[in-house]
Amino acid sequence: MKNAALVCLIILPGGKAMDENGVFVDYYGLLQVNPQCDATMLEKAYRHFAHMYHPDHPDTADVDKFQAILSAYRVLREPDRRAEYDKLYQSHKGESFEYVPTNDDLRIDAESALIDAEMHEKMLYYLYKSRREQPEDPGMMIYRLQRMLDCSDDNFDFHVWYLKSKGLIVWTEAGTLAITIEGVDHVISMSRAAEEKRLQIPKAKKFEEPPFEESQSDTPKPN
């Protein structure tokens, strides 16, 4: 039987959360973060679990959990709604809000960074391909790029901010995103590194010396 808290979450005015049976839902527990975590940590936890439970990932997909994570994040991301929810949380849990980082926080942090790095590479490859195929009009519409990456508005904004701050992408006069010279160099560098890594194992096998075996001709014959 499916967990009711994961199937039907009712968001009441002020950010109060109850399931269909009127039972309080622990949003912090769903996202596996401390109630005192900041907005950055909250977003990283959301991205981690949303990526894990998304239907596009058959090995870990779970539609009910994905919807629950989304509902929790929608409440906790809004300061006013989170403040109201926190009052309800304290009344149900009776816990103080003293923040102590946990191993789960560090795990989510590390895994989110890897996911971000993968998304950054994809964005640059898409924009590189666009510039190679259409040098006269290299920009790509935002909605199209976001749809290709299949990420939320918040995540997309973060990726654009990061790559733009690094000088790898720019906004064009037409309001599209385009890769820069630095971005092209970065893609080429990544491609070379990936190819070298792919060739490392064959090279290692090719130059590996065979184990020494004493030939019969070198073995002295007994008298």
Side-chain angles (χ1 to χ4, degrees):
M1 179 180 293
K2 293 182 179 180
N3 189 329
L6 297 179
V7 175
C8 182
L9 298 178
I10 302 173
I11 313 301
L12 301 178
K16 297 180 180 179
M18 300 290 179
D19 66 14
E20 58 185 0
N21 297 316
V23 178
F24 173 72
V25 178
D26 184 354
Y27 282 162
Y28 293 112
L30 285 174
L31 292 169
Q32 295 186 24
V33 295
N34 190 287
Q36 277 293 298
C37 72
D38 59 18
T40 300
M41 187 65 215
L42 187 68
E43 183 181 350
K44 288 180 178 179
Y46 163 71
R47 283 192 272 122
H48 169 75
F49 289 110
H51 182 272
M52 178 186 296
Y53 297 133
H54 196 280
D56 288 347
H57 300 89
D59 293 338
T60 57
D62 190 315
V63 176
D64 293 331
K65 289 184 178 180
F66 178 79
Q67 292 298 331
I69 292 298
L70 182 60
S71 296
Y73 183 62
R74 283 174 174 169
V75 170
L76 299 180
R77 64 179 289 189
E78 301 291 341
D80 292 340
R81 299 180 73 189
R82 181 176 180 177
E84 289 298 319
Y85 175 83
D86 285 347
K87 294 177 183 178
L88 189 65
Y89 180 91
Q90 286 182 303
S91 67
H92 279 79
K93 296 292 185 178
E95 299 177 0
S96 66
F97 275 20
E98 181 179 356
Y99 175 62
V100 179
T102 65
N103 289 333
D104 284 337
D105 293 339
L106 298 177
R107 175 176 60 82
I108 292 173
D109 236 3
E111 293 184 5
S112 294
L114 293 176
I115 294 172
D116 286 343
E118 180 181 342
M119 294 298 283
H120 297 160
E121 289 185 8
K122 286 183 178 180
M123 284 184 70
L124 289 175
Y125 276 124
Y126 289 146
L127 294 174
Y128 174 85
K129 186 172 184 292
S130 179
R131 183 173 284 276
R132 283 282 284 121
E133 295 178 349
Q134 304 178 78
E136 71 287 348
D137 184 21
M140 185 177 289
M141 297 296 293
I142 302 172
Y143 74 87
R144 183 184 172 211
L145 181 58
Q146 184 175 355
R147 183 176 60 188
M148 293 170 70
L149 295 170
D150 189 25
C151 63
S152 68
D153 292 342
D154 290 336
N155 293 346
F156 185 74
D157 290 343
F158 170 78
H159 300 320
V160 171
W161 164 81
Y162 174 80
L163 294 175
K164 186 174 180 295
S165 298
K166 296 284 287 185
L168 303 179
I169 63 175
V170 293
W171 290 106
T172 68
E173 294 182 357
T176 59
L177 284 171
I179 194 169
T180 63
I181 294 176
E182 291 79 5
V184 170
D185 289 342
H186 187 75
V187 170
I188 293 174
S189 178
M190 287 192 301
S191 300
R192 285 176 174 170
E195 181 65 11
E196 289 176 0
K197 184 176 181 180
R198 186 182 69 83
L199 296 175
Q200 277 179 355
I201 296 179
K203 283 183 177 180
K205 290 183 177 180
K206 180 179 180 181
F207 291 104
E208 183 179 357
E209 293 184 2
F212 174 76
E213 292 184 2
E214 190 175 55
S215 65
Q216 292 183 356
S217 58
D218 293 334
T219 305
K221 296 182 180 180
N223 293 327

